[in-house]
């Protein structure tokens, strides 16, 4: 076994299947599946909404919104994180204190656990937990069953105390977050908090900034993007997979010989089962044949076998980016585009069969401009969450900006 393969074997811990609660749309035997359609989560909202993510069973969507009319009593004039129960239609504000009192400064960067019980978010409000004052952007975890709000953290040491993004394991036990310096200087990094023991596992710092940490369902695989400074590090970015428990870590952006890829890399992600990791790269030396030259492509690495595959568009001369894996690792959502100014087309690919279909379209079936968050798919890619300013995605009143949607896929 090669050293790289041995490292992958150490890093991989595949989680068992989660028992999802019955779903009103998918769980009744003999019921004809509904036709593809989009549901607007922010019907008639008076502010913009973005970054919706889904629980594994597709029942819950969490998103950020500047709207003040999604729930009663929203008077803080700030963005908040909301949860929509797609079975009951109920919308609730997540970023409050345990009694439901609103936070003065609101919150952003919401994420939900695969089992739908826990939500995490980033807030600079000092009034979320009585007796505790955390007045810089910090990560909090909310138990959606009991309402309890817990402080997760913001500081990784020194000046690194400005939380940016968060991710949570399936059962809510582990929360990963990126933290940056309060002033521009080296030292940004990623930490994983065990909410049961309180222990914080800190990853080696990035030279500039870490982004979008993602945890596998069992919390034993962490993927994140690490940015450096071009004058000090070439290539200036990397995507890392790590085991927060053992401390083992390695780059995913490597050639068959183990060297770093020759292009830029970003958008690291991982499947819920912890077996597959994805990233976007402009490298041309990663192994798989690259048809579009210096254009970007999404790549998927099997962490068990260390094999790497390229994900090209139906038109292989186009670039691909914004890859997001389903919980079971079988499906990949990605965007194909010709230039950076091109909104592109969102596709869903079955990585087992190779079947590719357009995923996000308007009422007339035409692809529309959209944006997705870190976890836009449910475990089996039956639905996709996204935000868009398009006019014809669903009936009813639109917001003045982007709305959050969930689209049921065929």
């Amino acid at each position: 076994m090669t050293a790289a393969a041995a490292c992958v074997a150490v890093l991989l811990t595949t989680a068992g299947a989660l028992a999802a609660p019955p779903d009103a749309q998918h769980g009744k035997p003999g019921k004809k599946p509904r036709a593809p359609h989009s549901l607007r989560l922010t019907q008639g909202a008076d502010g913009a909404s973005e970054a919706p993510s889904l629980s594994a069973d597709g029942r819950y969507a969490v998103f950020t919104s500047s709207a003040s009319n999604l729930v009663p009593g929203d008077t803080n004039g700030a963005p908040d994180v909301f949860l929509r129960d797609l079975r009951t239609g109920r919308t609730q504000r997540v970023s409050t204190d345990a009694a439901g009192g609103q936070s003065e400064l609101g919150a952003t960067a919401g994420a939900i656990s695969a089992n739908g019980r826990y939500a995490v978010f980033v807030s600079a409000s000092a009034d979320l937990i009585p007796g505790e004052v955390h007045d810089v952007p910090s990560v909090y975890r909310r138990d959606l069953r009991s309402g309890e709000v817990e402080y997760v953290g913001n500081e990784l040491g020194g000046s690194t105390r400005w939380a940016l993004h968060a991710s949570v394991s399936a059962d809510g036990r582990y929360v990963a977050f990126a933290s940056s310096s309060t002033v521009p200087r080296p030292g940004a990094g990623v930490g994983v908090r065990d909410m049961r023991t309180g222990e914080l596992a800190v990853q080696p710092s990035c030279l500039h900034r870490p982004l979008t940490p993602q945890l596998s369902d069992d919390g034993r695989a962490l993927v994140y993007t690490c940015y450096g400074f071009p004058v000090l590090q070439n290539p200036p970015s990397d995507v890392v997979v790590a085991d927060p428990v053992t401390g083992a870590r390695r780059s995913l952006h490597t050639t068959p010989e183990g060297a770093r890829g020759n292009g830029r890399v970003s958008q690291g992600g991982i499947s819920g089962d912890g077996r597959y990791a994805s990233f976007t790269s402009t490298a041309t030396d990663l192994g798989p044949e690259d048809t579009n030259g210096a254009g970007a492509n999404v790549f998927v690495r099997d962490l068990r076998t260390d094999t790497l595959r390229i994900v090209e568009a139906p038109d292989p001369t186009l670039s691909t980016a914004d890859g997001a894996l389903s919980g079971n690792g079988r499906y990949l959502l990605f965007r194909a585009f010709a230039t950076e100014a091109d909104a592109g087309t969102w596709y869903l690919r079955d990585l087992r069969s190779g079947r590719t279909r357009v995923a996000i379209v308007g009422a007339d079936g035409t692809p529309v401009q959209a944006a997705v968050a870190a976890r836009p798919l449910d475990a089996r890619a039956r639905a996709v969450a996204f935000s868009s300013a398009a006019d014809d995605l669903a009936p009813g009143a639109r917001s003045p900006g982007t709305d959050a949607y969930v689209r049921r896929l065929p």
Side-chain angles (χ1 to χ4, degrees):
M1 177 181 290
T2 66
C7 184
V8 169
V10 170
L11 288 170
L12 176 71
T13 302
T14 302
L18 295 174
D23 185 276
Q25 295 184 15
H26 307 291
K28 295 184 179 180
K31 184 175 180 180
K32 185 178 179 180
R34 295 184 182 181
H37 66 282
S38 295
L39 169 69
R40 183 181 291 116
L41 305 180
T42 49
Q43 188 85 335
D46 60 8
S49 304
E50 61 183 5
S53 295
L54 289 172
S55 59
D57 66 348
R59 174 172 176 176
Y60 300 101
V62 65
F63 59 93
T64 299
S65 180
S66 297
S68 64
N69 61 343
L70 293 176
V71 297
D74 187 348
T75 59
N76 62 6
D80 291 292
V81 174
F82 296 86
L83 178 83
R84 175 68 171 263
D85 185 331
L86 297 176
R87 184 185 299 173
T88 67
R90 179 186 178 221
T91 298
Q92 69 179 94
R93 187 161 41 166
V94 169
S95 50
T96 66
D97 63 25
Q102 68 180 347
S103 56
E104 179 184 7
L105 300 179
T108 59
I112 189 167
S113 62
N115 65 5
R117 176 169 175 175
Y118 294 94
V120 294
F121 56 88
V122 175
S123 177
S125 292
D127 53 0
L128 284 165
I129 302 176
E132 296 185 20
V133 177
H134 309 287
D135 55 358
V136 296
S138 305
V139 178
Y140 295 85
R141 185 187 76 165
R142 186 183 189 93
D143 186 331
L144 298 171
R145 185 179 300 170
S146 68
E148 180 185 16
V149 177
E150 295 177 273
Y151 173 73
V152 177
N154 61 28
E155 187 171 351
L156 300 179
S159 64
T160 307
R161 55 189 301 266
W162 197 276
L164 303 170
H165 312 279
S167 177
V168 59
S169 62
D171 62 359
R173 175 173 175 175
Y174 299 98
V175 180
F177 63 94
S179 183
S180 186
S181 302
T182 54
V183 294
R185 67 175 69 177
V190 172
V192 178
R193 175 84 68 187
D194 184 335
M195 299 300 291
R196 185 178 301 171
T197 67
E199 182 179 357
L200 179 65
V202 179
Q203 296 296 307
S205 64
C206 301
L207 285 176
H208 178 43
R209 198 178 200 194
L211 288 178
T212 57
Q214 283 191 37
L215 286 170
S216 60
D217 285 347
D218 63 1
R220 291 296 302 272
L222 167 72
V223 170
Y224 61 96
T225 303
C226 197
Y227 289 98
F229 294 100
V231 295
L232 299 176
Q233 178 180 327
N234 187 30
S237 56
D238 197 9
V239 170
V240 176
V241 59
D243 184 329
V245 175
T246 67
R249 64 193 299 273
R250 59 158 292 190
S251 171
L252 292 175
H253 190 232
T254 55
T255 69
E257 295 74 32
R260 289 275 295 279
N262 63 8
R264 300 184 308 276
V265 61
S266 59
Q267 301 176 339
I270 193 164
S271 59
D273 63 9
R275 176 166 179 175
Y276 301 96
S278 63
F279 57 87
T280 299
S281 176
T282 60
T284 57
D285 60 348
L286 295 179
E289 183 179 353
D290 188 349
T291 306
N292 67 5
N297 284 111
V298 176
F299 292 83
V300 176
R301 190 176 289 277
D302 185 328
L303 298 180
R304 181 178 298 170
T305 65
D306 204 28
T307 54
L308 186 69
R309 64 189 296 177
I310 190 170
V311 179
E312 294 186 318
D315 176 353
T317 64
L318 299 178
S319 292
T320 60
D322 302 306
L325 290 158
S326 62
N328 63 6
R330 176 171 175 174
Y331 299 93
L332 179 84
L333 180 75
F334 65 95
R335 183 173 64 93
F337 55 97
T339 67
E340 293 297 331
D342 176 18
T345 300
W346 287 94
Y347 292 98
L348 184 73
R349 177 161 297 167
D350 184 332
L351 297 174
R352 185 181 303 169
S353 69
R355 180 192 178 201
T356 303
R357 47 197 160 135
V358 178
I360 302 176
V361 296
D364 62 356
T366 302
V368 298
Q369 184 171 1
V372 302
R375 292 286 191 191
L377 297 171
D378 63 5
R380 293 188 288 165
R382 299 168 301 181
V384 56
F386 61 95
S387 60
S388 179
D391 291 323
D392 62 344
L393 282 163
R398 279 199 53 242
S399 77
T402 56
D403 279 295
Y405 296 88
V406 172
R407 179 170 178 79
R408 174 170 166 76
L409 298 171

